[in-house]
Amino acid sequence: MSDSRGPGGRRRSWAELLAGRVKRQKYNPERAQKLKESAVRLLRSRQDLSALLLEVEGLQCKKSCLSNLIDCGSSEAHANHSSSFIGSALQDQASRLGVPVGVFSATMVASGVGQICAAPVDPSHPVLLTVEQRKKLSSLLDVAQYVLAHNMFSRLSFCQELWKIQNSLLLEAVWRLHVQSIVSLQQLLESHPDMRGVGAWLFRNLCCLCEQIEASCQHADVARAMLSGMFTTRRVAVDVLQRMLIFALDALAAGVQEESSTHKTLRAAGRFLLR
């Protein structure tokens, strides 16, 4: 039975796992590894990281725990705390939880990305971030770059955590992760357990992006940069080209109307694919 479960098959709390680790006086490498694996599984199963931190730290951490320090990348949080300070706090918290700092940092950053993307967006730009969301994401990615540079960030764990929030993940956030070298688009896509499913997700989002470009929205420059950058990734270009060809043939067979959303999508996509 897994070390993450107590008597009767009940899942142990973080406090119980940590207490068990403290009680053992003799170091047992095999036992320590099992406890670490249990802690990682428990971490990944928790949806509310703020509650998790409170459970481990107690009520006194309300003002100082990492969920408040990162605060979804708010500019106010980063005006008071540098990336190095937050990086140190991540390392300390990971040690308290008994999990690798790379896994913990990745989980925290992915949670921050998820909260930023979950904020209300402009319905006319469904795949783009708002100005406020961009500011918050930029601050959060400063922290991600710091922990990456100091070997305190697991890209694989980060990808796995991001796909848990796929339904709320905005395409522009994915693009900015790629541009700022947090994780490449290709690595992120290849980490998905369902390649066909993630291909369909990406295609739908790119179609929305093409519509934004043709609609001459105020964020058209961002949309063009995103589309241009994404099609330079071979894995993306090949898959999207195949899907776009099928989409175009179906549209022609159905009699696509000029200046319709379908026509605009095909025109924008073709412009970039044929470069």
Side-chain angles (χ1 to χ4, degrees), residues 225-250:
M226 288 171 60
L227 200 58
S228 179
M230 287 185 169
F231 282 143
T232 60
T233 303
R234 184 177 181 276
R235 159 73 176 81
V236 176
V238 172
D239 186 72
V240 171
L241 180 58
Q242 292 174 337
R243 292 176 183 275
M244 192 62 72
L245 286 172
I246 295 172
F247 180 64
L249 290 172
D250 289 344

Side-chain angles (χ1 to χ4, degrees), residues 8 76 119 139 222 224:
E76 181 180 350
S139 295
V222 174
R224 289 190 192 94

Side-chain angles (χ1 to χ4, degrees), residues 186-206:
Q186 181 163 330
Q187 182 179 4
L188 182 60
L189 294 175
E190 290 177 349
S191 70
H192 198 285
D194 179 7
M195 294 305 294
R196 289 181 61 84
V198 75
W201 172 85
L202 180 63
F203 178 71
R204 287 195 302 271
N205 278 272
L206 287 174

Side-chain angles (χ1 to χ4, degrees), residues 52-69:
L52 166 62
L53 293 173
L54 284 173
E55 180 183 331
V56 174
E57 289 288 349
L59 294 177
Q60 73 270 19
C61 87
K62 281 187 175 180
K63 292 184 179 180
S64 61
C65 69
L66 286 168
S67 58
N68 290 334
L69 291 179

Side-chain angles (χ1 to χ4, degrees), residues 13-79:
S13 68
W14 276 102
E16 289 173 319
L17 277 174
L18 293 174
R21 186 177 62 174
V22 170
K23 284 180 182 178
R24 295 182 179 88
Q25 299 298 318
K26 292 183 179 180
Y27 178 71
N28 183 319
E30 183 178 352
R31 190 72 167 176
Q33 182 61 31
K34 287 183 178 179
L35 282 172
K36 181 179 288 187
E37 290 171 358
S38 295
V40 170
R41 284 195 295 272
L42 198 52
L43 174 67
R44 287 175 172 166
S45 70
R46 293 296 290 262
Q47 300 299 314
D48 188 346
L49 288 180
S50 297
L52 166 62
L53 293 173
L54 284 173
E55 180 183 331
V56 174
E57 289 288 349
L59 294 177
Q60 73 270 19
C61 87
K62 281 187 175 180
K63 292 184 179 180
S64 61
C65 69
L66 286 168
S67 58
N68 290 334
L69 291 179
I70 292 180
D71 190 25
C72 302
S74 74
S75 56
E76 181 180 350
H78 287 278

